[in-house]
Amino acid sequence: MRIVFMGTPDFAVPSLQALIDQGHEICGVYTQPDKPKGRGHKLLPPPVKELALQNGLPVYQPLTLRDEAVQEELARLAPELIVVVAYGKLLPPRILELPELGCVNVHGSLLPKYRGAAPIQWAVLNGDAVTGVTTMYMAEGMDSGDILQRAETEIGPEETAGELFDRLKILGAKLLTDTLEQLQQGGLTRVCQDESQVTLAPMLKKEMSALDWTMPAQQVHDRIRGLNPWPCAAAVLDGKRLKLLGSRVVEHSGEPGTVWDLAGELVVCCGQNALRITELQTEKGKKMGGKEYLLGHPLSAGAVME
């Protein structure tokens, strides 16, 4: 098929690679503009752009798709199908109606659950046991189009949002290739989303880093997992800010927020049970385990993690 691909971050890279491997004619790759990063604010290309250039594919980086000239340029590419994976921009009606076979999206949740920008993170934050990916036809509403296929996977009890992200981007690419194969054969039925089952997954904010130790340990644990790798759960111990990157629920009781050195393990009491901190990072320091942290930072009497 003659395809225009739209995507930006790492999550979209395996899907673009899968289309290349399938032998589709990729007539254009649309991605977000390069962004400044690092201390030198050097402009760096999105991961999708890097893969496209490596394969000699034409790259387009418009600031908006609502510009008439941008839409005319896209129309001249004459795609049979547009594939969208974590592009980061809404498609206006004219573009949705442009390709003969429509616009197909890969979304990182089991729609209609978790429509929005951060479906993978919210599945972990909410302590879900199962999530997955969905392919769907795109409509004007956010992630509201008809479902084509879904693929499920279990979420590990210690799995972080970042680790789940890496698994779902591969699962999404596999589902995309299967979806396109079946579309070509005419073997797929569109399924309308049940609007009564819709939940939202808004973008994460830095303000979410603060933890509430009065919550049950399992909920705090899910928050630590769901905020890793960004913006990361954070706390203050002995006046120093820490990023909390990994934890496990353990049976222990005490005033919420009190910190214990239990047989060399860093344990924080919660509203119910406690958490053993398995990985953390000091400001401007390296990542380390709770045991390693205690070796260099003995706890003061009555220490509290704020």
Side-chain angles (χ1 to χ4, degrees), residues 221-241:
H221 170 63
D222 293 337
R223 196 166 187 84
I224 291 172
R225 297 190 300 135
L227 296 177
N228 183 347
W230 191 92
C232 290
V236 176
L237 178 60
D238 287 335
K240 297 180 180 179
R241 189 175 186 273

Side-chain angles (χ1 to χ4, degrees), residues 235-291:
V236 176
L237 178 60
D238 287 335
K240 297 180 180 179
R241 189 175 186 273
L242 303 174
K243 288 183 179 179
L244 305 182
L245 305 174
S247 59
R248 288 188 180 175
V249 177
V250 295
E251 290 188 6
H252 191 72
S253 60
E255 189 69 22
T258 53
V259 186
W260 298 82
D261 179 344
L262 297 182
E265 300 284 1
L266 181 63
V267 175
V268 187
C269 294
C270 300
Q272 179 184 346
N273 289 323
L275 283 184
R276 175 162 62 87
I277 305 302
T278 58
E279 186 177 27
L280 54 80
Q281 185 174 15
T282 59
E283 280 194 299
K284 300 180 181 179
K286 64 176 184 177
K287 296 177 182 179
M288 65 183 78
K291 285 185 176 181

Side-chain angles (χ1 to χ4, degrees), residues 24-35:
H24 291 289
E25 181 186 357
I26 313 298
C27 56
V29 174
Y30 281 68
T31 189
Q32 296 271 26
D34 297 1
K35 290 186 177 181

Side-chain angles (χ1 to χ4, degrees), residues 33-64:
D34 297 1
K35 290 186 177 181
K37 291 186 179 180
R39 292 183 179 179
H41 298 287
K42 181 181 179 181
L43 284 176
L44 295 179
V48 162
K49 178 180 179 179
E50 293 182 325
L51 177 61
L53 294 178
Q54 290 168 11
N55 286 272
L57 301 176
V59 174
Y60 303 85
Q61 295 177 278
L63 293 175
T64 176

